[in-house]
């Protein structure tokens, strides 16, 4: 697909998590683990920076990692503006912090997880195309669930088998019309959201897979 560069497309890279589920040493984060000799976060930012439609990137980091990434970014020379914001306690706090740094003229804003460096460029472009449909506020990559799913009680006793025919596993980057994303995050009830599409859903916006 050939598209002209759109200076209105910005990406927020959510990378403020502390990776507690991975059991890493205190102060370490999965975003800075090495992949092929380079931190994972650097791979993610570079992959985004070479997408023609991306005008700039905002990386949201835990405060303890800001200087560390700034040094990496200066050495990497990504070729696009790479700005830094400090994250908050929850993912929604971090994305809101990123939104405050994205230029006001951005028409589209993507949100990507910093620890997911291996997404395909076509995924990003497919989301841009999906956003062109009338009435669409967000587009997210997803895969149909193929595993058998069980619902259980607090004692791990199976209550039922879940019908998976309408279930999808959602990924990033997720791409949104900037006005819709900003409006959704202006709401008070965004805590606990595990992805940004969910924030838009709460606001009554239309998201497509």
């Amino acid at each position: 697909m050939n598209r002209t560069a759109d200076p209105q497309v910005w990406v927020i890279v959510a990378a403020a998590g502390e990776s507690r589920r991975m059991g890493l040493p205190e102060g370490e984060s999965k975003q800075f683990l090495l992949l092929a000799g380079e931190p994972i976060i650097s791979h993610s930012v570079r992959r985004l920076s070479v997408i023609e439609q991306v005008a700039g990137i905002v990386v949201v980091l835990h405060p303890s990692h800001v200087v560390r990434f700034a040094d990496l970014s200066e050495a990497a020379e990504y070729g696009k503006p790479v700005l830094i914001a400090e994250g908050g306690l929850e993912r929604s706090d971090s994305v809101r912090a990123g939104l405050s740094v994205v230029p006001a003229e951005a028409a589209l804003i993507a949100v990507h997880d910093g620890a997911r460096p291996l997404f395909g460029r076509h995924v990003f472009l497919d989301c841009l195309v999906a956003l062109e449909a009338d009435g669409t506020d967000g587009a997210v990559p997803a895969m149909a669930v193929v595993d058998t799913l069980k619902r259980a009680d607090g004692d791990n006793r199976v209550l039922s088998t879940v019908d998976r025919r309408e279930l999808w596993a959602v990924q990033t980057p997720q791409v949104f019309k900037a006005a819709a994303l900003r409006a959704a995050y202006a709401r008070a009830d965004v805590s606990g959201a595990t992805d940004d599409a969910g924030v838009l859903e709460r606001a009554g916006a239309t998201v497509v897979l």
Side-chain angles (χ1 to χ4, degrees):
M1 179 184 66
N2 294 319
R3 299 169 61 92
T4 57
D6 185 347
Q8 303 291 319
V9 183
W10 276 72
V11 183
I12 295 171
V13 176
E18 298 181 82
S19 307
R20 290 177 181 153
R21 287 176 297 180
M22 290 191 70
L24 296 176
E26 184 71 24
E28 189 54 275
S29 172
K30 62 187 176 185
Q31 292 92 318
F32 289 93
L33 296 179
L34 296 183
L35 175 65
E38 188 175 17
I40 287 174
I41 183 67
S42 297
H43 286 284
S44 297
V45 174
R46 179 173 293 104
R47 188 170 288 256
L48 289 163
S49 70
V50 298
I51 296 175
E52 182 183 16
Q53 290 78 8
V54 171
I57 300 165
V58 177
V59 182
V60 186
L61 298 154
H62 189 277
S64 64
H65 292 149
V66 167
V67 173
R68 185 178 185 182
F69 178 77
D71 290 341
L72 288 172
S73 182
E74 183 175 352
E77 298 181 354
Y78 293 113
K80 301 277 180 74
V82 176
L83 310 180
I84 295 175
E86 290 189 6
L89 294 177
E90 295 188 7
R91 177 190 172 87
S92 56
D93 298 320
S94 295
V95 174
R96 186 179 276 128
L99 282 171
S100 70
V101 178
V102 172
E105 62 269 21
L108 302 177
I109 300 174
V111 184
H112 183 58
D113 291 334
R116 295 177 182 260
L118 301 179
F119 69 93
R121 175 178 173 274
H122 70 280
V123 172
F124 193 96
L125 299 182
D126 286 348
C127 287
L128 290 181
V129 172
L131 270 181
E132 294 175 356
D134 290 341
T136 301
D137 300 301
V140 303
M143 298 181 65
V145 172
V146 297
D147 295 320
T148 297
L149 303 177
K150 303 287 186 182
R151 181 178 286 110
D153 64 15
D155 295 320
N156 290 333
R157 289 189 294 259
V158 173
L159 300 177
S160 63
T161 299
V162 179
D163 186 348
R164 66 190 180 194
R165 287 176 293 182
E166 295 183 353
L167 298 181
W168 296 78
V170 174
Q171 304 176 347
T172 65
Q174 302 183 355
V175 188
F176 307 96
K177 291 179 178 174
L181 186 63
R182 292 188 187 279
Y185 267 96
R187 295 165 57 94
D189 58 342
V190 300
S191 63
T194 57
D195 80 334
D196 302 282
V199 174
L200 264 73
E201 292 159 27
R202 293 186 191 183
T206 299
V207 179
V208 299
L209 303 177

